[in-house]
Amino acid sequence: MSEHRVALVTAGASGIGRAIAERLLADGISVHICDINETALHACTNELVGITGSCCDVSDATQVEGLFAEMATHYDRLDILINNAGIAGPTASVEDIAPEDWDRTIAVDLNSAFYVTRLAAPLLKKSGGSIVNMASNAALFGFPLRSPYTAAKWAIIGLTKTWAMELGPDGVNVNALCPGSVNGPRIENVINKDAKERGVSPNEIRDVYQRQSSMRLFVDAEDIAETVRFLCSPAGHSISGQALGIDGHTEGLSNWLG
Ligand code: NAD
């Protein structure tokens, strides 16, 4: 059996997933990432020493089976599962959402967590490991113009509580994180696009967005990664079944994209 703990981070080649992978690696944990974007995956596995990776669309159950077969050629254990994959899906009012866009968002944001966890659970039960599911603070409130995203993320919290009950007796803790908007190119693109459409400055739009949070902030991916590290460490192991906001405290999301 491998000496080091082993983690799987889905959608780990960029964004929050990559920050988590880097944080776990820094703790001496062996990390396997998967990502749908082959270029980003290879860039990540080339840049980070000690990381392994598989190209995989986690919304496809067959590809997820291939992912576990490939992981088994590197590792004989799994201690940490980070169900991080998620897309924003359509930004549109309910009457304007196409069923195929609904289905794709649910597939990536919800079905993927089931496909991965059903194969990870036997390994995690053996190691008494940890699962962290990436939800969103949209899972704590309604989020106008984001129906499928909100539905999937609320369901992720339901699964978190269910899996905490199912796997807890085998020593597995299961939690969900609910970040607010994260600092980085994604939020900057949204801000710039919105500012252009409304004919106002990006700073005005940034201010409106940040006022969603009591602390008037966007979150750093590294802070999310640090929380993951804690929940997957012995010190965080008795915390389970929780949906933890990482958003500078937000009481609700207004129609800010409308
Ligand atoms: P991102 O858009 O930066 O994407 C990260 C990675 O996901 C990319 O490398 C992409 O190729 C990969 N990916 C996309 N679809 C995939 C699929 N089907 N299979 C495998 N890989 C896939 O994402 P992010 O902003 O880092 O978000 C990560 C998670 O955090 C998501 O679940 C997201 O919903 C959640 N979240 C993000 C924010 C935010 O502001 N960024 C806020 C709250 C919650």
Side-chain angles (χ1 to χ4, degrees), residues 11-235:
S14 65
I16 297 169
R18 178 165 170 154
I20 293 169
E22 289 185 25
R23 187 65 196 81
L24 296 178
L25 277 174
D27 262 15
I29 294 166
S30 299
V31 178
H32 192 83
I33 56 168
C34 70
D35 205 284
I36 196 173
N37 182 330
E38 203 165 0
T39 311
L41 179 79
H42 288 145
C44 196
T45 51
N46 286 336
E47 285 162 28
L48 301 180
V49 178
I51 201 168
T52 52
S54 304
C55 193
C56 173
D57 176 352
V58 283
S59 70
D60 179 327
T62 308
Q63 288 192 37
V64 172
E65 283 171 12
L67 161 68
F68 275 76
E70 209 171 309
M71 246 184 2
T73 66
H74 295 285
Y75 309 107
D76 57 2
R77 60 187 285 172
L78 183 68
D79 302 82
I80 295 170
L81 167 63
I82 314 299
N83 281 313
N84 170 65
I87 54 173
T91 301
S93 187
V94 60
E95 66 269 31
D96 296 325
I97 295 172
E100 54 272 27
D101 291 338
W102 171 277
D103 288 346
R104 180 68 190 151
T105 312
I106 296 293
V108 178
D109 293 11
L110 175 59
N111 296 356
S112 68
F114 163 63
Y115 297 151
V116 176
T117 305
R118 66 185 275 275
L119 299 181
L123 300 166
L124 293 168
K125 282 180 176 179
K126 260 193 221 161
S127 60
S130 300
I131 300 177
V132 177
N133 295 321
M134 203 55 67
S136 159
N137 66 357
L140 305 173
F141 322 108
F143 189 4
L145 309 183
R146 288 287 180 88
S147 293
Y149 181 78
T150 313
K153 295 299 190 181
W154 275 72
I156 285 291
I157 292 186
L159 289 177
T160 299
K161 291 183 183 293
T162 299
W163 294 342
M165 295 169 87
E166 282 184 19
L167 305 179
D170 290 289
V172 180
N173 70 328
V174 187
N175 291 287
L177 296 185
C178 301
S181 292
V182 173
N183 277 312
R186 182 155 119 170
I187 189 70
E188 290 307 317
N189 289 341
V190 173
I191 287 170
N192 288 333
K193 182 168 172 277
D194 203 5
K196 205 167 165 188
E197 280 168 6
R198 291 167 195 266
V200 298
S201 76
N203 278 343
E204 275 178 80
I205 296 292
R206 186 174 295 100
D207 186 56
V208 170
Y209 289 6
Q210 287 186 328
R211 281 179 182 281
Q212 304 279 331
S213 146
S214 299
M215 295 178 75
R216 311 286 192 251
L217 51 72
F218 295 150
V219 185
D220 287 329
E222 290 69 25
D223 293 349
I224 299 169
E226 186 60 40
T227 309
V228 167
R229 186 204 63 78
F230 174 69
L231 290 171
C232 299
S233 74

